[in-house]
Amino acid sequence: FIAIQYIFSALPIICLSVTLRERNNNVLTNNNICRLVRYKNKKMVLLKELKKIFIYVAVFQFIESLTIAMFTFNLRGFDFTNIVVYCILNILIKYLFMIIQFAGEIYTSNSFSFIVTAVVYLCLMFGGWLVQENIKKHQTEELLVSVLEFVQKINIVNYMSLERVNLSINQLCSFVLGILLVIFLEMFSIRNKVKTIDVLERG
């Protein structure tokens, strides 16, 4: 594989992960416990935190897409639909990763969930490349190819690439709805956990 290409593919989400970990406006962290007095309940705090995470993801995605467009923009080959699909899928998947990271910080109350998030992302990214290469090598073996294609479909990082999206997804709307469902389930799980958090004990 082209190492530089994969480094730059991983860099945006790793930077996003570290930025969210190091931000000082997270009300649920130890140094911001005093800010909780501004809010009526923890549910409201959670909603605000989830909204902040989404804004971070959307801003990072805008910057990433703008940077890509600056270097690859071609009026003749410009396809607005593909750009929109690319942005929507990337925002949803990155948001899912960042919510999982956020959940890790809440459930374990430690500062290492961003490292886990980055490592999982890298493993899925390189795994997607390895599986795709094996599909190309063993095109004549139908059973093996069908298994590998199934593995590709359940690798969520593949859907951050338009090329692999076109290879793996038959019904894009169903996939988007599925991602949204997983995000809402994760939010519901965090909501139940936040209810039982003793912020004074954490402080």
Side-chain angles (χ1 to χ4, degrees), residues 62-78:
F62 175 77
I63 294 170
E64 180 187 342
S65 300
L66 188 62
T67 304
I68 293 171
M70 286 172 61
F71 290 100
T72 62
F73 184 74
N74 182 352
L75 270 177
R76 294 179 181 177
F78 182 75

Side-chain angles (χ1 to χ4, degrees), residues 135-153:
I135 289 174
K136 292 177 182 177
K137 288 180 182 178
H138 304 281
Q139 289 181 351
T140 56
E141 302 176 37
E142 293 183 6
L143 180 60
L144 179 60
V145 168
S146 61
V147 172
L148 292 174
E149 286 177 347
F150 175 76
V151 171
Q152 282 294 70
K153 286 182 179 181

Side-chain angles (χ1 to χ4, degrees), residues 101-136:
Q101 174 178 314
F102 181 60
E105 293 171 359
I106 291 175
Y107 276 87
T108 63
S109 68
N110 64 46
S111 60
F112 296 106
S113 60
F114 77 98
I115 295 176
V116 175
T117 301
V119 170
V120 169
Y121 175 82
L122 287 170
C123 289
L124 290 175
M125 184 180 68
F126 285 116
W129 173 80
L130 287 171
V131 172
Q132 193 63 36
E133 288 300 304
N134 277 286
I135 289 174
K136 292 177 182 177

Side-chain angles (χ1 to χ4, degrees), residues 16-158:
L16 175 61
S17 178
V18 174
T19 300
L20 286 174
R21 170 66 193 94
E22 297 299 323
R23 67 193 173 101
N24 58 10
N25 63 350
N26 185 354
V27 182
L28 294 173
T29 56
N30 296 339
N31 60 334
N32 282 328
I33 287 175
C34 58
R35 296 186 186 182
L36 285 171
V37 297
R38 297 179 182 177
Y39 304 100
K40 294 181 180 179
N41 55 53
K42 294 174 187 174
K43 293 179 191 175
M44 187 179 296
V45 172
L46 177 61
L47 287 174
K48 286 184 177 293
E49 291 304 318
L50 292 172
K51 181 181 176 182
K52 287 177 192 174
I53 293 171
F54 182 81
I55 291 171
Y56 272 91
V57 172
V59 169
F60 263 73
Q61 184 57 47
F62 175 77
I63 294 170
E64 180 187 342
S65 300
L66 188 62
T67 304
I68 293 171
M70 286 172 61
F71 290 100
T72 62
F73 184 74
N74 182 352
L75 270 177
R76 294 179 181 177
F78 182 75
D79 189 333
F80 182 75
T81 303
N82 278 346
I83 297 297
V84 171
V85 170
Y86 172 79
C87 288
I88 289 173
L89 289 175
N90 272 263
I91 287 173
L92 286 176
I93 294 169
K94 287 175 183 174
Y95 189 51
L96 176 59
F97 270 100
M98 295 306 108
I99 289 180
I100 292 172
Q101 174 178 314
F102 181 60
E105 293 171 359
I106 291 175
Y107 276 87
T108 63
S109 68
N110 64 46
S111 60
F112 296 106
S113 60
F114 77 98
I115 295 176
V116 175
T117 301
V119 170
V120 169
Y121 175 82
L122 287 170
C123 289
L124 290 175
M125 184 180 68
F126 285 116
W129 173 80
L130 287 171
V131 172
Q132 193 63 36
E133 288 300 304
N134 277 286
I135 289 174
K136 292 177 182 177
K137 288 180 182 178
H138 304 281
Q139 289 181 351
T140 56
E141 302 176 37
E142 293 183 6
L143 180 60
L144 179 60
V145 168
S146 61
V147 172
L148 292 174
E149 286 177 347
F150 175 76
V151 171
Q152 282 294 70
K153 286 182 179 181
I154 61 176
N155 184 347
I156 193 170
V157 172
N158 284 327

